[in-house]
Amino acid sequence: MRNQRRFKRHDLAALASQAMLERGLEPEFPPAVELELSRLAASHRRPAADGPQEQGAKIADLRALPWCSLDNDDSLDLDQLTACQREAGGGLRLFVAVADVDALVHRDSAIDRHARHNTCSVYTSARIFPMLPERLSTDLSSLNPQQDRLALVTEMLIDGQGDLQDSTIYRARVRNQAKLAYDATSAWLLGEAELPAAAQAWPGMDEQLRLQDAMAQTLRARRHAHGSLEFETLQPRVIFEGERVVDLQQQEQNRARQLIEEFMIATNGCCARFLASHGGASLRRVVRSPERWARIREEANKYGEQLPGSPDANALEGFLARRRRADPLRFPDLSLVIIKLMGSGEYVVERPGREPIGHFGLAEREYTHATAPNRRYPDLISQRMVKALLAGRPAPYSPAELEDLALHCTQQEDAARKVERRMRKSEAALFLEPRLGEVFSALVTGHGASGIWVRLLTPPVEGMLVGHAPELRLGQRLRVRLVGCNIERGFIDFEYV
C-alpha cells in the first residue's frame, strides 16, 4: 500500500485504531456505552436541547455575560467560555466557565468507565478518538452557541500588573454568545482582518475581546517574568479533502491561542488552591524540577551560556528567549532537546501539609487540570472534587483511589501522545510519498545509534539520513534527496546530496 492513490484517509484511520490498541487504549465505545448514551439522549430530545436542567439556589444565572468560546476552526467539543469586566483602579474581573460534564456523566457509569480507561481524547488527522461519545462532547456537555448550559465558573479579580487579588469558584448557568476560532480572531486582534461575524452579532463583543486580549498579555508577561518557559516544537498535521491528503500544516501560536492558554493556566491554579484550602487530597499536574539539570547546562554551554548549578526556571527561560531571537530557524530543535531533558509531566496526589511539587515549566507552585472535562479525565475528577466541596458532600475519591488514578492517567496520557506522534509520522510519509526523488533543504537535528536525523525546512518533516554522508554537526544545513517513505511504519528516508 505504498501508492498514494491506494492509501487513503480511511487507511490512516485504520492504522490509528491499531496504534490505539497496541498502546492499551480503546478506539471504539463498547455496547454498554452506546446503550447508556441512547437512554441519556432520549431524555434530551427537545429541539436545541439545553443540556441538564438542574435547578437550585446555589446555581447562579450568568447567561447575560458576554461569554465567548475560542477554539480551533473545526472544534465542536467546547469546554470553556471566557468573559471579563473592568474594575475600578485598572483591574479586571475575569470569568472562566467550564462545562459541567459531571452533571451528565456520573461516576462509575458505562460512559465514565470508558473515559476512565482512555483518560483523554486522542487526536490524529485521519480520525479523532473522543474520550466521551460525540452526542455528549459536541452537544449536550459542550458549551455550544446560543444554548443554556450548566458550568463551573472561576471568577478572578486581577490587578493591572497581572497579580491575582481574589478568586472564587461556583456553579452557574451560562450561554455562549459567540463561537470564535483562533486564527480568525487573532488576525482581527492584529488588525489583519475584520471582526469575525459571530462576534459582530453580539454588541460590544469587539471591546470584550480587546479587554480579554490585554489581560492575557499582561498575565503572559508576568508569568514569563517569574520563569515560565517558552518552547516551540514542530508538530505538523496533514489536511484532507475527503479521502485525499492535500496539505501539511504546522499549527502556529497566535494571540487568540495565547489568550486561552493564559486564562486556562490561571483557572487551573485557582482550582488547585481552592482544593488545597479545604484541606483534602487533590490530583495535581506537575513537572518536577529537572534531575538532568547538568545536561541542560551542557546544552547551554554549547551556545556560550552559563546556567546556575541548581535548577533555575528564570535562568533557563532567559537562555531560551535569547536563543529564539538569535536563531529562530533552529529553536524548535533546541526546544525539543530541553523538553526531553526536563522530563514529561505527570499526575500526582497532593495531600494537606505537604510542600507542593509544582509545575517547573509554568513556574507554578500549585497547578491542576480542571478546564477540559470533555477531553481529559483528570479534569473531570477535579470537577467532581470541587462540586462535592461546594455541596458540602464528602470527597468522591479517597486518597488511595486518587493515587491509583494519578498513575493510570499519567500512563494513558503518555500512551495517547505516542499514538499521536506515531500517526504524525505516517501522515508525513503519506504527504511526501508523491515527491520521491525531490531534493530539499534540511537541518541536522540528531545523532544516534541508528543514524543521523534531519529536518526539512519546508515542509517541517523529520526523517533518517541513509547511505554515505560526510561528518555532519548538529544544526548544520545540507541538501537531501527523498528516497523512501513507508506509510505503515512512519519511516521517511533521505540521502545526502
Side-chain angles (χ1 to χ4, degrees):
M1 300 180 73
R2 296 279 298 280
N3 190 303
Q4 191 191 25
R5 288 174 297 179
R6 291 188 292 115
F7 205 104
K8 302 295 184 181
R9 180 174 188 163
H10 69 269
D11 298 302
L12 276 183
L15 279 179
S17 294
Q18 183 59 37
M20 291 275 288
L21 290 169
E22 290 171 356
R23 292 292 179 182
L25 301 169
E26 296 178 354
E28 311 297 340
F29 291 104
V33 167
E34 301 296 345
L35 177 61
E36 191 172 271
L37 181 63
S38 65
R39 292 171 179 167
L40 185 62
S43 64
H44 295 86
R45 281 179 177 163
R46 300 183 310 280
D50 287 336
Q53 295 299 303
E54 185 178 343
Q55 301 294 330
K58 294 184 178 180
I59 299 178
D61 187 351
L62 298 185
R63 289 175 292 178
L65 283 178
W67 295 108
C68 64
S69 61
L70 268 167
D71 216 311
N72 294 310
D73 288 13
D74 56 353
S75 291
L76 299 175
D77 49 347
L78 306 180
D79 275 303
Q80 319 101 8
L81 304 178
T82 57
C84 68
Q85 297 173 341
R86 293 185 185 276
E87 290 288 310
L92 289 173
R93 190 170 297 275
L94 171 63
F95 301 85
V96 175
V98 175
D100 189 349
V101 174
D102 172 66
L104 285 164
V105 180
H106 299 148
R107 186 185 171 185
D108 293 328
S109 64
I111 295 172
D112 182 64
R113 288 193 297 272
H114 175 84
R116 185 171 62 219
H117 178 83
N118 280 5
T119 76
C120 61
S121 296
V122 182
Y123 296 90
T124 75
S125 295
R127 181 185 172 187
I128 294 172
F129 300 90
M131 183 182 79
L132 300 177
E134 289 186 354
R135 182 70 170 91
L136 283 170
S137 62
T138 68
D139 186 4
L140 296 178
S141 59
S142 176
L143 299 176
N144 290 346
Q146 308 309 319
Q147 294 184 14
D148 294 349
R149 290 288 188 261
L150 288 176
L152 209 58
V153 172
T154 301
E155 182 179 332
M156 295 163 270
L157 181 60
I158 300 172
D159 67 18
Q161 288 70 51
D163 290 317
L164 180 70
Q165 301 299 305
D166 191 24
S167 69
T168 183
I169 303 177
Y170 52 89
R171 300 184 68 195
R173 196 173 302 283
V174 299
R175 188 177 181 87
N176 185 356
Q177 311 296 354
K179 180 180 183 294
L180 304 173
Y182 289 132
D183 292 347
T185 303
S186 182
W188 172 75
L189 286 170
L190 296 175
E192 299 169 354
E194 292 186 358
L195 182 68
Q200 293 183 33
W202 182 263
M205 187 58 76
D206 53 348
E207 181 185 3
Q208 175 66 203
L209 290 171
R210 295 285 188 202
L211 280 176
Q212 293 192 31
D213 174 59
M215 175 185 282
Q217 291 303 312
T218 299
L219 290 172
R220 187 175 182 81
R222 179 190 179 281
R223 191 163 57 84
H224 287 295
H226 284 75
S228 182
L229 306 180
E230 180 105 19
F231 295 110
E232 179 183 327
T233 58
L234 299 175
Q235 298 181 343
R237 292 191 179 278
V238 294
I239 306 301
F240 288 96
E241 285 184 1
E243 283 285 300
R244 190 170 62 93
V245 62
V246 294
D247 199 3
L248 186 142
Q249 295 180 357
Q250 166 67 16
Q251 178 178 288
E252 300 293 340
Q253 180 69 297
N254 58 39
R255 289 288 282 261
R257 292 182 188 278
Q258 290 173 358
L259 186 158
I260 293 300
E261 180 180 74
E262 297 305 322
F263 289 177
M264 295 312 108
I265 290 172
T267 303
N268 285 329
C270 288
C271 181
R273 287 185 288 274
F274 177 85
L275 292 171
S277 70
H278 288 79
S282 62
L283 198 65
R284 298 291 182 92
R285 181 67 175 178
V286 306
V287 173
R288 299 178 186 273
S289 182
E291 294 181 358
R292 290 180 285 183
W293 182 253
R295 291 280 308 281
I296 294 175
R297 295 184 69 210
E298 289 175 9
E299 285 297 320
N301 287 340
K302 294 177 183 178
Y303 298 93
E305 298 244 14
Q306 282 288 125
L307 293 178
S310 57
D312 185 318
N314 287 92
L316 180 56
E317 167 58 15
F319 163 64
L320 292 171
R322 289 188 291 275
R323 291 315 306 165
R324 180 195 293 271
R325 291 192 297 268
D327 194 354
L329 183 64
R330 294 171 177 81
F331 185 71
D333 305 308
L334 174 62
S335 291
L336 187 58
V337 169
I338 300 298
I339 288 171
K340 289 179 178 178
L341 290 173
M342 281 181 56
S344 58
E346 62 184 293
Y347 293 101
V348 302
V349 177
E350 293 284 2
R351 298 173 186 258
R354 293 185 182 178
E355 188 73 13
I357 296 171
H359 194 299
F360 185 85
L362 296 176
E364 288 282 348
R365 294 284 289 165
E366 296 179 294
Y367 190 76
T368 190
H369 273 171
T371 56
N374 274 306
R375 314 179 194 189
R376 285 189 309 233
Y377 197 72
D379 303 57
L380 184 52
I381 293 172
S382 294
Q383 185 171 93
R384 288 169 175 162
M385 301 285 283
V386 169
K387 287 179 65 177
L389 286 171
L390 293 175
R393 299 193 305 267
Y397 301 95
S398 69
E401 288 175 315
L402 287 176
E403 293 283 2
D404 290 340
L405 284 166
L407 177 60
H408 175 70
C409 290
T410 298
Q411 292 172 338
Q412 296 298 79
E413 281 198 14
D414 181 62
R417 284 195 300 270
K418 288 176 179 175
V419 170
E420 292 172 347
R421 187 163 58 244
R422 161 73 179 80
M423 291 311 301
R424 282 196 296 271
K425 293 178 180 179
S426 288
E427 293 159 6
L430 175 60
F431 176 74
L432 281 179
E433 190 184 44
R435 304 178 68 175
L436 284 169
E438 286 191 32
V439 175
F440 300 86
S441 294
L443 294 173
V444 176
T445 58
H447 292 92
S450 55
I452 297 173
W453 292 91
V454 298
R455 171 172 63 84
L456 303 186
L457 301 186
T458 305
V461 171
E462 193 172 57
M464 182 73 72
L465 198 62
V466 299
H468 174 73
E471 185 174 338
L472 300 167
R473 66 181 186 280
L474 285 176
Q476 182 175 333
R477 292 188 67 156
L478 70 164
R479 299 281 285 173
V480 297
R481 178 178 289 107
L482 178 63
V483 296
C485 290
N486 187 313
I487 298 166
E488 294 93 330
R489 303 180 69 183
F491 292 170
I492 301 173
D493 293 332
F494 301 98
E495 65 179 16
Y496 179 80
V497 177

